[in-house]
Amino acid sequence: MSEPIEWISEKWKNVEVRYRVKEILQELKTDFQHILLIDTYQYGKMLLLDGRVQTAEKDEYIYHEMMTHVPLLSHPNPEKVLIIGGGDGGVLREVLKHDSVESATIVEIDPLVVNFCKEHLPLISNGAFDNERTKLIIDDGADYIRKTDNKYDIVIVDSPDPVGPAKILFSGQFYREIYNVLRPGGIMVRQTGSTQMQEEEQEQAYRLLKDIFQYNAFYLYSVPTYVGGLFSTIFCSDAIDLKTIDIKKIITKYDLNQLNTKYYSPQIHYGAYQLPPFMKVIK
Ligand code: SAM
């Protein structure tokens, strides 16, 4: 009888992080990636794709709130939202908290991630996939963006790191096509990884996006289960500069929507883009 697995590692080139495991709950190989669901002592249930932590019950709200409410509260009237990736449903759950949102389209390449998370991590999507404003499309986000005639106020790219099927979601072509599906005044945000372990992702994103959008600004927050300290997201728009938004308007909209968040607040929103000097040098 083999010893039960007590630790699961997330391995990076020069860093390895281990989580003490109560139970391996599910494991499967899909056409796109390896999916592992474990129950951990510290962070509750945790989803890993190809060995990388995607979301964990205990701290998922930080990332999902920051990826959603910073762009949506920065936009005057977000009605049509597109999420690329995000198969766990956390961003979708947060988007639907906004009364102005008429439709939330989520384009996820792997149907098994959606089904798996609805079954094993139901509190993350919390019924969002069954909301009448939700439109779930199973497709490669890059293909969808190229084919669609639809236009959006907000595009949120909630992809894994640039590995496997997600690689295409980090290309200049993809960003140019996102630009073309944004309505006037639209905003795109995308996760750009850890500022301590994935600096090249921030540098590449900024280098590509500054030639496409007029305004490009990083904002930072910390997600305990995303290795490498401060985690970054880039906010891009031709009309809205994240750094010049009137925080009083954000407070009014936050209160109007009664967003009931656990990490995001208008003050956190403002603080997130007060970048430390080391982030200001990205060219
Ligand atoms: N919050 C996580 C992060 O920051 O790494 C991402 C979570 S979410 C589970 C990532 C999703 O992107 C996965 O469900 C994966 O299947 C999906 N995905 C990867 N490549 C994709 C593509 N080309 N088009 C659409 N979805 C994709």
Side-chain angles (χ1 to χ4, degrees):
M1 170 79 167
S2 62
E3 286 295 303
I5 293 179
E6 196 181 351
W7 296 90
I8 285 277
S9 289
E10 181 183 35
K11 290 187 174 70
W12 292 68
K13 186 163 172 263
N14 302 316
V15 169
E16 180 176 355
V17 177
R18 298 203 311 166
Y19 296 96
R20 188 153 170 256
V21 175
K22 275 185 193 167
E23 191 184 348
I24 305 275
L25 295 170
Q26 281 283 340
E27 186 169 9
L28 76 153
K29 184 85 177 71
T30 78
D31 293 342
F32 300 97
Q33 51 214 331
H34 177 266
I35 304 183
L36 177 65
L37 181 74
I38 56 178
D39 191 2
T40 68
Y41 285 94
Q42 188 62 38
Y43 292 106
K45 289 185 188 172
M46 183 182 274
L47 173 75
L48 294 91
L49 296 181
D50 289 339
R52 286 280 169 86
V53 175
Q54 302 295 308
T55 198
E57 280 179 326
K58 193 167 173 189
D59 68 359
E60 56 82 17
Y61 61 91
I62 301 172
Y63 173 80
H64 293 132
E65 290 178 9
M66 290 303 283
M67 283 289 280
T68 305
H69 304 309
V70 171
L72 268 78
L73 289 177
S74 299
H75 190 285
N77 185 32
E79 294 173 331
K80 299 197 182 302
V81 178
L82 172 65
I83 302 160
I84 293 176
D88 51 59
V91 167
L92 179 62
R93 174 195 76 211
E94 292 302 311
V95 164
L96 294 172
K97 287 181 178 176
H98 292 255
D99 300 335
S100 65
V101 171
E102 295 168 358
S103 69
T105 304
I106 176 166
V107 182
E108 163 58 54
I109 199 166
D110 193 340
L112 292 181
V113 172
V114 176
N115 301 339
F116 191 93
C117 292
K118 281 172 76 172
E119 184 184 350
H120 299 291
L121 291 167
L123 294 182
I124 291 188
S125 57
N126 202 26
F129 285 110
D130 303 319
N131 189 295
E132 77 279 358
R133 291 178 289 167
T134 296
K135 185 175 180 195
L136 171 62
I137 295 171
I138 299 301
D139 198 358
D140 182 322
D143 290 344
Y144 175 78
I145 281 284
R146 202 174 306 123
K147 291 178 301 200
T148 187
D149 296 328
N150 296 326
K151 298 288 182 188
Y152 299 94
D153 297 305
I154 308 281
V155 176
I156 299 173
V157 183
D158 180 14
S159 78
D161 295 327
V163 290
K167 266 192 191 146
I168 183 75
L169 306 181
F170 291 75
S171 69
Q173 180 63 24
F174 174 66
Y175 294 139
R176 278 188 294 278
E177 285 162 355
I178 286 185
Y179 182 90
N180 294 333
V181 304
L182 281 172
R183 285 168 138 183
I187 298 168
M188 178 202 79
V189 295
R190 73 133 321 121
Q191 68 91 352
T192 47
S194 155
T195 59
Q196 304 300 312
M197 287 173 53
Q198 297 166 293
E199 305 92 312
E200 72 287 349
E201 277 188 39
Q202 292 107 56
E203 288 156 7
Q204 185 201 351
Y206 189 79
R207 191 171 55 249
L208 291 171
L209 288 160
K210 70 178 174 40
D211 295 337
I212 301 171
F213 290 95
Q214 183 165 353
Y215 301 109
N216 302 275
F218 288 103
Y219 59 97
L220 308 179
Y221 44 98
S222 180
V223 183
T225 53
Y226 288 172
V227 185
L230 284 171
F231 198 78
S232 65
T233 292
I234 195 164
F235 177 115
C236 307
S237 175
D238 255 8
I240 298 169
D241 180 357
L242 172 64
K243 302 190 295 295
T244 62
I245 289 161
D246 179 351
I247 201 69
K248 291 191 288 301
K249 284 188 184 160
I250 301 286
I251 292 170
T252 305
K253 288 193 279 185
Y254 178 76
D255 293 341
L256 273 178
N257 277 283
Q258 297 177 319
L259 288 176
N260 183 28
T261 50
K262 289 166 63 177
Y263 181 84
Y264 176 92
S265 73
Q267 293 73 21
I268 288 282
H269 178 137
Y270 175 79
Y273 60 78
Q274 309 308 315
L275 299 181
F278 81 83
M279 277 295 287
K280 291 179 179 171
V281 296
I282 289 184
K283 290 280 176 271

